[in-house]
Amino acid sequence: MMRQGEFTSALMHANGLQVEKPDWMRRLNAFRVEAAWRLGQWSELELYLKNESSSSKKWDVNLGRLLLAAKQKDFEGFLNRLNKVRSGQMGPLSTASLEQGSYQRGYEYIVRLHMLQELEEGVRLLLSHKDQSDAAQSMLNSWQARIELSQESFRTQ
């Protein structure tokens, strides 16, 4: 369901399964976190993130933490988490670069690093409290150019 963009249904399923099979919560919680941030359900996101370890390496959980920090205007917390998440993407990317078919294996991590860069740019702009209409337009143009160059897939776009 998540891959098809059915986030509300996936969240309802995960919540239902959690009630029926509480021992599955650790495995299901990352899906709940992703669905919550994609749906903009910030209070639920905060609740679901409490069930995750602060040292979690899960991409969707860490992205949820970043988005929540940005929503709460916690710029210092955002930057600290951002640096950790970036570092977490570099290990698999460097490993993938050593393997045959490295471009395909590393592409996911390259896209994630692009996402983190764009998120940082957007948060910096939004939290700067200055009239940045020219900077915002330039940033949006850059993002549009980047997405036009990326491989077409539902997951990356």
Side-chain angles (χ1 to χ4, degrees):
M1 286 185 207
M2 297 292 280
R3 291 182 189 229
Q4 296 168 342
E6 307 258 344
F7 304 114
T8 303
S9 297
L11 186 56
M12 288 178 13
H13 258 26
N15 285 335
L17 280 170
Q18 181 209 347
V19 170
E20 288 181 29
K21 305 209 184 255
D23 53 315
W24 290 11
M25 188 172 121
R26 286 189 60 208
R27 287 180 277 172
L28 291 173
N29 199 55
F31 294 110
R32 296 186 328 156
V33 167
E34 181 182 0
W37 64 254
R38 286 186 180 269
L39 294 168
Q41 295 180 354
W42 304 110
S43 57
E44 287 85 354
L45 175 61
E46 192 168 7
L47 179 69
Y48 302 150
L49 285 172
K50 288 179 182 174
N51 294 318
E52 290 291 333
S53 164
S54 62
S55 61
S56 174
K57 304 243 185 262
K58 298 174 189 168
W59 166 251
D60 295 317
V61 169
N62 282 311
L63 194 52
R65 287 191 202 288
L66 284 170
L67 293 169
L68 188 61
K71 169 82 170 135
Q72 295 172 338
K73 298 181 181 173
D74 176 11
F75 192 60
E76 186 177 323
F78 173 84
L79 289 177
N80 287 336
R81 174 68 57 182
L82 180 66
N83 288 331
K84 290 176 186 174
V85 175
R86 272 193 181 125
S87 294
Q89 298 305 300
M90 295 308 295
L93 180 59
S94 65
T95 301
S97 70
L98 301 173
E99 299 172 2
Q100 188 171 1
S102 61
Y103 178 79
Q104 285 301 100
R105 295 199 35 93
Y107 189 76
E108 175 183 0
Y109 302 102
I110 292 169
V111 169
R112 287 177 177 182
L113 289 169
H114 279 290
M115 290 170 65
L116 294 173
Q117 178 62 33
E118 290 173 358
L119 182 59
E120 180 183 14
E121 289 171 359
V123 169
R124 282 186 187 279
L125 186 71
L126 290 172
L127 297 181
S128 71
H129 303 295
K130 298 177 187 171
D131 179 21
Q132 301 272 348
S133 54
D134 290 340
Q137 189 58 51
S138 174
M139 181 178 65
L140 291 173
N141 291 341
S142 172
W143 291 358
Q144 185 61 39
R146 188 175 294 155
I147 202 162
E148 287 173 5
L149 293 174
S150 66
Q151 291 178 2
E152 286 189 32
S153 77
F154 180 77
R155 191 76 177 148
T156 60
Q157 294 198 10

